């Protein structure tokens, strides 16, 4: 049996203000609702969940029973609700005072409606600048997650990314978890056993490791052809079954529980970045074509 590890599923659900009503409804029907219904049956599993403020407003107005269920699962400790700026802005595009204001505003909304304490947040599009650290800290955020790509841009290697790091700006400190790119590509597209094998490989080499999957919740039903794959063909049930079957060494937990239980790996200063694919998509057309050729 591999050494015990901690595995975090951190999902991010978002629809922007002004999106078509039928898009909200289809995402709810194909992804948000069926995921929560299936997850609710696996009482030993936990997740961290971010739902943007604009989407949460719509859900509360149109499907308050879903929000009630979130509150119930959060109260049971099954779901950790993580916050963020209310309207999901790219933080680099708004002033520091607005970053703090939007984060605090959404934290209050979550606490009032869901009764959940917010300590972590999702960074929109994982666009990061070092100065965000002091804004997050001022807004009451203790930890967040970015991609492993951010950490590799700071000089860290794959073997150093199985935990969380502290970062600092002007004496204000925030913890940052690296999310796994290999898991982003295998979940939910590869057989669940591939994820189990991947985690076992890490566990064999790294005692008390923390591995984080952080990505869009819409991958579980809203992305093209995923509803049939994930629910009708049963991928998500098989995935949850595999996690339960391996719970003697895979401890499915939340960002908050991992933050409380594990010491930081060290300190890091992350450069300006986003997830790897975004750094390619934002290139002008000609350099992007050159990059593809290379």
């Amino acid at each position: 049996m591999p050494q015990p590890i901690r595995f975090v599923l951190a999902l991010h659900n978002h629809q922007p203000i002004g999106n078509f009503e039928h898009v909200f409804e289809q995402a709810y029907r194909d992804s948000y609702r069926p995921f929560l219904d299936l997850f609710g049956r696996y009482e030993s599993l936990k997740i961290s969940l971010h739902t943007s403020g604009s989407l949460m407003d719509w859900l509360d107005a149109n499907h308050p029973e879903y929000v009630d269920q979130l509150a119930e699962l959060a109260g049971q400790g099954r779901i950790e609700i993580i916050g963020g700026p209310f309207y999901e802005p790219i933080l680099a595009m708004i002033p520091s005072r607005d970053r703090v204001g939007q984060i605090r505003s959404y934290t209050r909304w979550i606490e009032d409606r869901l009764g959940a304490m917010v300590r972590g947040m999702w960074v929109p599009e994982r666009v990061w600048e070092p100065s965000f650290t002091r804004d997050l800290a001022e807004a009451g955020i203790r930890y967040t997650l970015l991609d492993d790509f951010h950490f590799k841009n700071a000089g860290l290697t794959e073997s150093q990314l199985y935990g969380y790091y502290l970062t600092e700006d002007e004496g204000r400190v925030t913890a940052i978890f690296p999310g796994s790119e290999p898991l982003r590509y295998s979940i939910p597209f590869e057989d669940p056993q591939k994820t189990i094998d991947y985690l076992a490989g890490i566990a064999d080499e790294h005692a008390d490791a923390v591995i984080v999957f952080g990505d869009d919740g819409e991958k579980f039903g809203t992305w093209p052809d995923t509803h049939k794959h994930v629910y009708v063909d049963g991928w998500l049930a098989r995935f949850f079954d595999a996690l339960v079957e391996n719970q003697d060494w895979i401890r499915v937990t939340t960002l908050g529980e991992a933050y409380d239980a594990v010491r930081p790996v060290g300190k890091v200063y992350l450069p300006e970045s986003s997830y790897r694919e975004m750094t390619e998509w934002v290139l002008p057309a000609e350099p992007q074509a050159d990059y593809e050729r290379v």
Side-chain angles (χ1 to χ4, degrees), residues 28-279:
Y28 171 79
R29 183 181 66 249
D30 288 349
S31 181
Y32 311 142
R33 176 80 269 167
F35 184 95
L36 203 63
D37 286 344
L38 184 60
F39 170 76
R41 302 173 198 165
Y42 290 82
E43 296 183 358
S44 63
L45 300 183
K46 300 180 180 182
I47 61 170
S48 294
L49 177 65
H50 171 256
T51 304
S52 66
S54 52
L55 175 56
M56 193 72 90
D57 263 347
W58 184 88
L59 289 167
D60 200 29
N62 293 273
H63 295 283
E65 71 284 356
Y66 174 87
V67 182
D68 291 340
Q69 188 176 2
L70 283 182
E72 180 180 352
L73 290 169
Q76 295 171 0
R78 297 277 319 282
I79 292 181
E80 176 196 19
I81 304 296
I82 57 177
F86 203 109
Y87 297 105
E88 201 70 8
I90 303 301
L91 294 177
M93 300 179 69
I94 62 175
S96 174
R97 66 181 183 276
D98 290 345
R99 298 173 201 154
V100 175
Q102 284 212 32
I103 295 167
R104 286 177 172 171
S105 176
Y106 194 30
T107 293
R108 287 193 298 269
W109 193 100
I110 291 170
E111 291 174 346
D112 290 344
R113 178 64 175 87
L114 302 179
M117 180 178 67
V118 174
R119 297 191 297 161
M121 70 165 268
W122 182 270
V123 177
E125 296 299 332
R126 283 102 82 191
V127 173
W128 179 258
E129 293 183 359
S131 63
F132 294 171
T133 301
R134 64 176 180 269
D135 295 330
L136 269 60
E138 184 178 344
I141 297 299
R142 305 288 295 276
Y143 49 85
T144 187
L145 69 154
L146 295 170
D147 279 52
D148 52 13
F149 184 72
H150 294 74
F151 292 78
K152 293 176 181 178
N153 285 342
L156 300 182
T157 63
E158 185 74 31
S159 64
Q160 296 173 294
L161 301 180
Y162 306 128
Y164 69 89
Y165 285 79
L166 300 181
T167 192
E168 169 271 333
D169 186 64
E170 296 185 359
R172 309 300 292 275
V173 177
T174 302
I176 305 182
F177 289 83
S180 168
E181 182 173 310
L183 289 180
R184 283 203 294 114
Y185 275 84
S186 64
I187 298 173
F189 307 110
E190 302 283 353
D191 188 86
Q193 187 60 42
K194 182 169 183 177
T195 295
I196 303 301
D197 294 342
Y198 175 77
L199 296 177
I202 296 171
D204 286 340
E205 300 291 334
H206 302 275
D208 209 27
V210 179
I211 302 96
V212 178
F213 165 82
D215 209 357
D216 296 346
E218 288 82 9
K219 293 174 75 171
F220 301 92
T222 304
W223 286 20
D225 302 320
T226 57
H227 180 82
K228 179 179 183 297
H229 170 63
V230 170
Y231 302 109
V232 179
D233 296 340
W235 183 92
L236 189 57
R238 294 196 305 275
F239 181 62
F240 286 161
D241 287 340
L243 293 177
V244 171
E245 289 165 5
N246 290 277
Q247 279 187 319
D248 51 350
W249 63 276
I250 299 177
R251 300 170 181 170
V252 182
T253 186
T254 65
L255 292 173
E257 288 184 348
Y259 174 79
D260 290 337
V262 179
R263 293 177 60 85
V265 177
K267 183 167 65 175
V268 70
Y269 290 91
L270 301 178
E272 298 173 357
S273 189
S274 179
Y275 56 98
R276 180 183 57 79
E277 298 92 331
M278 180 64 80
T279 66

